[in-house]
């Protein structure tokens, strides 16, 4: 595996791989790798001939400077993990390479950036994500790009921007990877204290309560969200949001029908966690 920092170098690597007839896979990341990232790299390795992992902690998607400062960074560890997965190139650009002086352009996927995390982190969060992902797609020109289902709203937004801007890339969304007790893998989990780590299971519990309610015939999204919120509260966690929305448009629907995204977010101590499940709800 080679580590490259400039746009020219990553483009050269892609050109050479394509000249050999390889398809190109991209796994965009902000580093701090865990099993979830590794599963994306494995999917990329299986499906494409040349795998590029980008590692860039994107300042444009952090609304809170303390969150940006606290974001875990260990490039040497990440590089070793990526190399062990057979990644070909780690693209770790500087902030100046991605946002040169005078950078003035933004990509905004309207409406989809407003609900769920957008309502709490601000629509600028997903504008930052959409802008950097569009740049990475233009820089790397991957045939396939790999994202995790844990960031469900991000995945919906990336799919929509690819469709709306006719970007020639296939977006592959891979299942959430969980710890053995069900906690969704996240780079933020390392910041949880021992007691917080136990309380963090409340998110998963809230999703289970919502799923059980739907399986038992409930179709009122507001009522089901209340049940989940109460279940989380009883386990010591106040939900920032619990929402049941259409998995494609992220809009609430009553009664629930079709592909429903049940999404939760909560602060456990100072750590903000998200999780979700997609449920196919048959029409009543
Ligand atoms: O999911 C992430 O790690 C980031 O949002 C992404 C897609 C790498 C963009 O910075």
């Amino acid at each position: 595996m080679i580590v490259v920092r400039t746009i020219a170098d990553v483009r050269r690597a892609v050109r050479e791989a394509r000249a050999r007839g390889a398809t190109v896979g991209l796994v965009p990341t902000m580093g701090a790798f865990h099993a979830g990232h590794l599963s994306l790299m494995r999917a990329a390795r299986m499906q494409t001939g040349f795998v590029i992992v980008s590692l860039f902690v994107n300042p444009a998607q952090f609304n809170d400077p303390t969150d940006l400062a606290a974001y875990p960074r260990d490039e040497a560890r990440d590089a070793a993990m990526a190399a062990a997965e057979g990644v070909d190139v780690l693209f770790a650009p500087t902030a100046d390479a991605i946002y040169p002086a005078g950078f003035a352009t933004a990509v905004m996927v309207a409406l989809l950036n407003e609900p769920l995390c957008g309502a709490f982190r601000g629509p600028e969060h997903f504008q930052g994500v959409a802008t950097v992902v569009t740049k990475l797609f233009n820089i790397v020109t991957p045939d396939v790009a790999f994202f995790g289902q844990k960031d469900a709203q991000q995945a919906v937004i990336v799919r929509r921007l690819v469709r709306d801007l006719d970007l020639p890339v296939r977006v592959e969304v891979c299942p959430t990877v969980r710890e053995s007790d069900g906690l969704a893998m996240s780079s933020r989990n390392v910041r949880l204290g021992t007691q917080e780590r136990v309380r963090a299971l409340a998110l998963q519990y809230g999703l289970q309560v919502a799923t059980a309610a739907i399986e038992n015939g409930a179709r009122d999204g507001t009522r089901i969200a209340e049940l989940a919120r109460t279940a989380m509260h009883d386990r010591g966690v106040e939900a920032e949001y619990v929402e049941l929305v259409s998995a494609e448009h992220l809009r609430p629907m009553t009664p629930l029908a079709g592909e429903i995204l049940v999404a939760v977010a909560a602060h456990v101590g100072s750590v903000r966690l998200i999780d979700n499940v997609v449920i196919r709800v048959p029409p009543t």
Side-chain angles (χ1 to χ4, degrees):
M1 187 186 80
I2 57 166
V3 179
V4 301
R5 303 206 183 270
T6 68
I7 292 170
D9 284 347
V10 77
R11 283 194 167 140
R12 184 175 315 113
V14 169
R15 245 192 336 269
E16 288 169 5
R18 285 225 164 88
R20 295 192 297 271
T23 52
V24 176
L26 171 67
V27 182
T29 82
M30 298 203 298
F33 294 159
H34 52 65
H37 295 109
L38 304 186
S39 77
L40 300 181
M41 294 175 204
R42 269 171 224 151
R45 188 69 285 165
M46 299 264 295
Q47 295 183 38
T48 59
F50 192 72
V51 177
I52 299 180
V53 171
S54 63
L55 192 174
F56 179 64
V57 182
N58 176 29
Q61 68 189 76
F62 285 83
N63 54 339
D64 176 358
T66 49
D67 197 22
L68 174 61
Y71 203 84
R73 292 167 172 87
D74 188 345
E75 188 186 307
R77 172 186 167 276
D78 287 343
M81 291 170 82
E85 291 301 331
V87 167
D88 297 293
V89 174
L90 185 70
F91 174 46
T94 60
D96 287 350
I98 297 296
Y99 299 117
F103 186 87
T105 301
V107 178
M108 188 202 51
V109 181
L111 302 180
L112 293 177
N113 63 357
E114 287 174 7
L116 309 177
C117 288
F120 293 89
R121 303 188 73 174
E124 304 78 20
H125 165 65
F126 287 112
Q127 183 170 305
V129 171
T131 303
V132 82
V133 167
T134 305
K135 284 199 63 128
L136 289 168
F137 286 176
N138 283 334
I139 292 165
V140 175
T141 65
D143 297 288
V144 193
F146 297 82
F147 294 84
Q149 172 61 27
K150 191 188 72 96
D151 296 300
Q153 185 170 12
Q154 169 172 284
V156 170
I157 285 173
V158 170
R159 278 195 196 285
R160 183 67 66 88
L161 88 84
V162 163
R163 194 198 74 177
D164 287 357
L165 298 182
D166 305 303
L167 301 181
V169 55
R170 178 163 67 79
V171 174
E172 186 78 19
V173 179
C174 302
T176 302
V177 178
R178 296 180 180 279
E179 305 277 2
S180 55
D181 60 5
L183 181 69
M185 296 270 183
S186 164
S187 304
R188 295 165 193 261
N189 290 354
V190 294
R191 288 165 51 204
L192 294 168
T194 313
Q195 290 307 314
E196 291 167 350
R197 174 65 184 73
V198 175
R199 285 200 294 127
L201 293 175
L203 281 83
Q204 160 81 352
Y205 189 62
L207 293 175
Q208 286 166 358
V209 165
T211 304
I214 293 171
E215 284 171 358
N216 289 328
R219 294 292 181 268
D220 179 341
T222 310
R223 174 85 193 106
I224 297 166
E226 254 337 289
L227 291 174
R229 198 176 263 283
T230 304
M232 291 171 67
H233 169 83
D234 292 346
R235 278 171 168 63
V237 171
E238 301 308 321
E240 184 174 76
Y241 68 75
V242 179
E243 298 268 1
L244 288 87
V245 293
S246 119
E248 188 185 354
H249 304 290
L250 305 182
R251 282 198 289 262
M253 44 183 332
T254 310
L256 299 176
E259 293 266 295
I260 296 298
L261 172 71
V262 187
V264 299
H267 282 92
V268 181
S270 63
V271 185
R272 185 175 184 277
L273 299 175
I274 58 172
D275 201 352
N276 70 83
V277 63
V278 175
I279 304 175
R280 166 150 283 289
V281 181
T284 41

